[in-house]
Amino acid sequence: AAAAYIASRNLRTATVAGTSMDPTFKPGSSILVEARSATAEEDRGDVVVLRSPEEGCEDDLLTKRVVGLERDWLYARDGRLVRVPTAHVWVEGDNASNSNDSTHYGAVPRDKLVGTAVAKVWPPAEAGPVADRHEECEARVIPAEEARRLRSRKTETGETLRIALRASRDAMQEYVGWTPPEDKASGRPAGA
């Protein structure tokens, strides 16, 4: 019965090799990955397996967390404000100090996504569903719909978007202990 369930959901196991998803996955952890369908829609906080977007490494499979969806605005770990292009996602490893991710290579085309990690199966003591960290990711992002709504407000044009961006930046500081670069002209944090 379990084998039929696994086959019907198109599930495969994969072994995590690096430390970029530590503490969620340690090297040697085995995960259950549901293959991505043509109609799949990832959500912020999902852990995905993807083909490396870096030239010369296309055969490498990576495990990362989706932080931003197409047309979202967010602060990258290095402090840049980025907008995720259409048909792309922003992915990061959970280990901020040791992850080669969208902060380095930019947003990833959705067609690079292979599947979604649905469970950790090894080691047995840690087996169970993958935590989605949805709230932490949501706090760092201004969804496309919200940014559009804020930009189109007739009063305080632009000011409402700046306030939302500041809240996103503050969430980023809490998430990875990042401090915004200073604006050289004013001496204040950029965007403040």
Side-chain angles (χ1 to χ4, degrees):
Y5 175 76
I6 289 173
S8 71
R9 296 259 328 255
N10 202 8
L11 299 171
R12 304 282 185 262
T13 59
T15 301
V16 176
T19 59
S20 73
M21 285 300 293
D22 191 24
T24 305
F25 305 126
K26 302 216 180 299
S29 295
S30 288
I31 57 175
L32 200 56
V33 179
E34 183 172 12
R36 185 174 190 274
S37 71
T39 59
E41 290 199 21
E42 294 70 32
D43 198 5
R44 289 177 207 94
D46 286 352
V47 175
V48 294
V49 175
L50 62 134
R51 295 203 178 284
S52 176
E54 295 186 291
E55 191 172 323
C57 301
E58 294 86 359
D59 291 336
D60 293 349
L61 292 177
L62 311 174
T63 307
K64 304 293 178 192
R65 189 173 300 278
V66 175
V67 176
L69 303 174
E70 63 182 39
R71 295 187 300 270
D72 281 351
W73 289 88
L74 62 93
Y75 278 96
R77 284 185 170 150
D78 62 5
R80 288 176 296 133
L81 177 63
V82 295
R83 184 171 187 207
V84 182
T86 301
H88 287 66
V89 293
W90 189 269
V91 296
E92 295 178 353
D94 286 355
N95 185 351
S97 65
N98 189 27
S99 180
N100 187 24
D101 52 34
S102 286
T103 304
H104 302 93
Y105 45 71
V108 176
R110 288 185 101 107
D111 64 7
K112 294 279 187 189
L113 303 181
V114 174
T116 302
V118 294
K120 186 176 192 179
V121 294
W122 188 266
E126 298 175 16
V130 176
D132 67 17
R133 294 179 70 175
H134 181 77
E135 292 80 22
E136 291 174 42
C137 294
E138 283 284 326
R140 292 185 45 207
V141 171
I142 300 171
E145 312 80 54
E146 180 68 4
R148 190 171 30 257
R149 185 185 71 75
L150 291 171
R151 276 195 308 254
S152 68
R153 291 184 79 166
K154 299 214 186 304
T155 58
E156 301 180 65
T157 304
E159 185 60 27
T160 52
L161 181 57
R162 278 193 284 282
I163 291 168
L165 288 169
R166 281 189 205 118
S168 174
R169 184 193 63 212
D170 293 345
M172 177 66 198
Q173 291 171 336
E174 292 175 23
Y175 182 67
V176 293
W178 167 81
T179 304
E182 285 187 5
D183 180 338
K184 292 183 182 7
S186 69
R188 294 188 324 244

